[in-house]
Amino acid sequence: MATTEELQSLVLTTLDKNGSIADSKDLTFNEKPVDQPTLLGALSSLKSKEMIDFEPIENVFWVLTEEGKQLAKDGSHEARVFDAVPAGAEGIPVAELQAKVGSSAKAGQGKAFKNKWISKKGANLVRVVESIVDQTQIDLKEVESTGTLKDAKVLAELKKRTLVDKQKSTTYSVTKGPDFSLEVKKEATDITSDMLLSGDWKNATFKKYNFDAEGIPPAGGHLHPLMKVRQEFREIFFEMGFQEMPTNCFAESSFWNFDALFQPQQHPARDAHDTFFLKDPATSDRYPRDLMEKIKKTHEDGGDTGSIGYNYNWKESEAEKLILRTHTTAVSSYMLWKLAEETKKIGEFRPAKYFSIDRVFRNESVDATHLAEFHQIEGVICDRNLTLGDLIGFMDVFFKKMGMNKIRFKPTYNPYTEPSMEIFSYHEGLKSWVEIGNSGMFRPEMLLPLGLPPDVRVIAWGLGLERPTMVKYGISNIRDLLGHKVNIAMIKDYPICRLDKKMGKELVGLSEDD
């Protein structure tokens, strides 16, 4: 490939000889066509010195696709089908034709019928004409040699059949500039101290500033404070042997989000006042039918769980409704069902520890401490004969890794955990106990329909990501942390997060407004 200097010399000598260059596609170097993108760099450099001027020429041409090249060589699908049908009244069975011409049979039959080359006689295909002209092959060869066709309709048809493709290229028309010369003078880019001392700057030619040039790209991106705290939580979970759950699907069916968690269909959380429902698509039945029947039975009369259920008529139409998930526990229920299926497959139960940190959605009024979307941190441990003591003990270890050494619990109610506990941590700044999360043990009415062994228990807990982030970075309004009001400089300037070190509001305390 020619260098920029060689291309500049080629352009200047050609202009000196011919006066202009009508189209740069005709330029050759060492008997090879000049690479147009490389030529553009040489032309731009010469134009900046006002030695030349140039204008782009947009060229549109057609090329054959791989299939088009094959048909140009071997003949069209319809011609191959016609050739495969023997002359005479007997013809050839359709199945035999497909075996004979392979993938060309389906596309070729339709075109051959349309061209009235063949017809169907009983179960066989027979010829209607004695001979044909393969116009498709002729057209493809013309495109291959000339890059176009006179008939635009034929081109459109070939493109529809994915036999040709339109491509564009840019070449250039070049003329002499006001400072045209065969010699390219070297331009200085800066005034040096030597030039000032010698006085050479007075006669030097300086390169013009290009005010349209792009600036130096930034050194790198910066993680949002939420992502910094999120990564710190992830490291804690990985250190404790947890597996991250796939939570990349924000849309979820009510079946996994509510019904699989033994949350009744009349529960207020399932109303439009609290949940975002999708309009298109509005429903989904992508859940196992046998599992659905078990969950339906459990809701109605308790099924095989020993419970009396909720004593109502469970409706699949409610379970099919698509929503923006209100919690990542929807993913936990799916993962526990997968664990149960794996247990059945291998004939052995293997304990599991799952976690997720991702976005959830609630139809709430936005204010300084609430958003319609936020991040939920969730952990789940599944093993045989777990107790409430295991949950409390694990919470103590987990939150100590976050720098929270004073933890206590308060009984509460959740539809799918029993017993359930709110988690409180003592805040040194406020000199009081602050709620930081929720926890509990999944109910048998949830676990048994999923197919887990009867002696398997699941402990779970969850907390928000925004609250600890606001505390760590001293942010009082959640809208300054997430949303269109976020200060980009804040994202760049805030330090990395250490959950086990005091920082932000932990050092000064929270205001009463928080």
Side-chain angles (χ1 to χ4, degrees):
M1 183 182 291
T3 64
T4 300
E5 291 76 15
E6 290 171 331
L7 290 176
Q8 288 178 340
S9 177
L10 173 65
V11 169
L12 294 174
T13 54
T14 305
L15 286 174
D16 185 57
K17 180 181 178 181
N18 302 329
S20 65
I21 299 173
D23 195 332
S24 61
K25 69 180 176 62
D26 300 323
L27 285 178
T28 59
F29 184 83
N30 290 338
E31 300 182 352
K32 293 182 180 179
V34 170
D35 180 66
Q36 297 300 315
T38 307
L39 177 64
L40 176 59
L43 293 178
S44 299
S45 178
L46 292 174
K47 184 174 182 178
S48 69
K49 301 176 177 65
E50 297 187 349
M51 298 177 69
I52 66 159
D53 196 11
F54 68 93
E55 294 292 335
I57 302 172
E58 300 294 338
N59 302 292
V60 178
F61 58 97
W62 295 82
V63 297
L64 302 187
T65 63
E66 289 301 317
E67 183 182 2
K69 291 176 182 178
Q70 189 66 37
L71 299 193
K73 178 182 176 183
D74 301 332
S76 66
H77 296 304
E78 55 267 34
R80 292 183 64 191
V81 168
F82 178 83
D83 292 339
V85 176
E90 185 176 347
I92 186 174
V94 175
E96 187 177 331
L97 174 72
Q98 291 175 341
K100 195 171 182 180
V101 299
S103 59
S104 293
K106 185 176 181 180
Q109 282 183 63
K111 285 292 179 182
F113 277 123
K114 185 177 180 181
N115 294 341
K116 298 182 179 180
W117 293 350
I118 62 173
S119 65
K120 198 166 185 182
K121 186 178 181 181
N124 289 9
L125 297 174
V126 296
R127 289 188 178 185
V128 176
V129 295
E130 294 182 1
S131 61
I132 62 167
V133 175
D134 191 355
Q135 190 61 44
T136 299
Q137 184 182 32
I138 296 171
D139 293 336
L140 289 173
K141 287 183 176 180
E142 184 176 345
V143 172
E144 190 173 32
S145 60
T146 65
T148 188
L149 276 178
K150 293 180 180 179
D151 194 333
K153 290 184 178 180
V154 175
L155 267 177
E157 176 64 22
L158 293 177
K159 180 175 175 57
K160 185 177 180 181
R161 295 177 64 181
T162 66
L163 301 179
V164 299
D165 191 23
K166 183 192 287 187
Q167 292 191 358
K168 295 181 179 180
S169 68
T170 304
T171 55
Y172 308 93
S173 63
V174 189
T175 56
K176 293 180 180 179
D179 294 334
F180 177 79
S181 170
L182 288 175
E183 181 184 354
V184 181
K185 293 181 180 180
K186 187 175 182 180
E187 295 178 324
T189 56
D190 295 297
I191 297 179
T192 64
S193 58
D194 291 338
M195 292 171 70
L196 291 173
L197 291 172
S198 65
D200 289 344
W201 64 273
K202 297 178 182 178
N203 301 317
T205 301
F206 290 94
K207 187 175 182 180
K208 292 183 179 180
Y209 282 107
N210 181 5
F211 293 102
D212 296 324
E214 296 181 357
I216 299 173
H222 301 272
L223 286 176
H224 189 281
L226 276 173
M227 296 299 100
K228 294 176 183 177
V229 178
R230 176 180 181 269
Q231 183 58 29
E232 190 76 356
F233 274 108
R234 292 180 79 240
E235 294 296 336
I236 292 175
F237 277 114
F238 287 136
E239 178 187 334
M240 301 182 76
F242 281 72
Q243 174 187 344
E244 190 166 17
M245 294 185 283
T247 54
N248 54 340
C249 185
F250 291 165
E252 191 64 86
S253 67
S254 295
F255 177 83
W256 289 112
N257 196 85
F258 297 120
D259 295 280
L261 303 180
F262 195 57
Q263 193 159 336
Q265 295 184 337
Q266 302 87 357
H267 196 281
R270 302 180 68 153
D271 293 336
H273 296 294
D274 295 291
T275 303
F276 290 108
F277 288 85
L278 273 63
K279 287 186 177 180
D280 186 17
T283 61
S284 171
D285 60 354
R286 295 173 63 180
Y287 43 78
R289 304 301 297 180
D290 58 338
L291 176 60
M292 184 207 73
E293 293 297 334
K294 292 178 183 177
I295 289 176
K296 174 183 178 181
K297 185 73 172 170
T298 304
H299 276 247
E300 291 181 344
D301 58 22
D304 299 328
T305 65
S307 167
I308 63 171
Y310 290 115
N311 291 310
Y312 73 101
N313 291 323
W314 186 90
K315 297 178 181 179
E316 186 178 357
S317 58
E318 285 292 324
E320 288 179 341
K321 291 180 179 178
L322 276 175
I323 62 171
L324 292 179
R325 66 181 179 212
T326 61
H327 48 199
T328 52
T329 317
V331 183
S332 301
S333 63
Y334 174 76
M335 292 298 292
L336 291 173
W337 172 74
K338 284 191 65 176
L339 177 64
E341 292 298 302
E342 183 68 16
T343 300
K344 296 174 186 176
K345 183 178 179 181
I346 65 176
E348 176 187 0
F349 171 76
R350 295 177 180 175
K353 295 192 286 187
Y354 301 123
F355 84 95
S356 65
I357 309 173
D358 213 334
R359 195 167 295 193
V360 296
F361 308 84
R362 305 276 175 85
N363 193 359
E364 296 183 350
S365 299
V366 176
D367 58 28
T369 57
H370 296 86
L371 290 176
E373 56 183 294
F374 54 95
H375 294 79
Q376 180 179 332
I377 304 167
E378 180 165 343
V380 172
I381 300 178
C382 182
D383 203 349
R384 296 185 187 276
N385 301 316
L386 290 175
T387 66
L388 189 64
D390 294 306
L391 174 60
I392 294 174
F394 184 84
M395 290 295 95
D396 185 62
V397 175
F398 178 80
F399 285 104
K400 277 183 178 177
K401 289 182 177 291
M402 295 171 53
M404 300 179 184
N405 296 314
K406 296 181 180 179
I407 300 292
R408 72 182 184 186
F409 304 87
K410 173 186 174 184
T412 188
Y413 168 78
N414 290 319
Y416 44 90
T417 58
E418 180 60 39
S420 306
M421 302 182 299
E422 292 175 342
I423 310 167
F424 291 79
S425 173
Y426 188 77
H427 194 289
E428 297 292 343
L430 287 176
K431 302 299 181 183
S432 65
W433 292 90
V434 178
E435 181 182 354
I436 56 173
N438 213 318
S439 65
M441 300 185 67
F442 284 154
R443 296 175 61 142
E445 293 97 327
M446 173 186 167
L447 300 179
L448 293 178
L450 294 176
L452 289 170
D455 60 341
V456 169
R457 305 286 183 267
V458 178
I459 58 177
W461 68 99
L463 61 151
L465 181 63
E466 282 74 11
R467 178 69 178 181
T469 303
M470 292 171 70
V471 171
K472 288 289 181 183
Y473 287 102
I475 299 172
S476 59
N477 192 327
I478 195 171
R479 289 169 291 194
D480 294 332
L481 177 66
L482 189 64
H484 64 283
K485 292 185 177 181
V486 170
N487 185 351
I488 301 299
M490 171 269 289
I491 297 176
K492 178 181 178 181
D493 297 336
Y494 275 17
I496 62 172
C497 172
R498 285 287 302 274
L499 292 176
D500 58 342
K501 300 293 183 182
K502 299 297 181 185
M503 57 186 286
K505 290 187 177 179
E506 294 169 315
L507 297 176
V508 298
L510 298 171
S511 69
E512 293 181 359
D513 295 333
D514 297 335

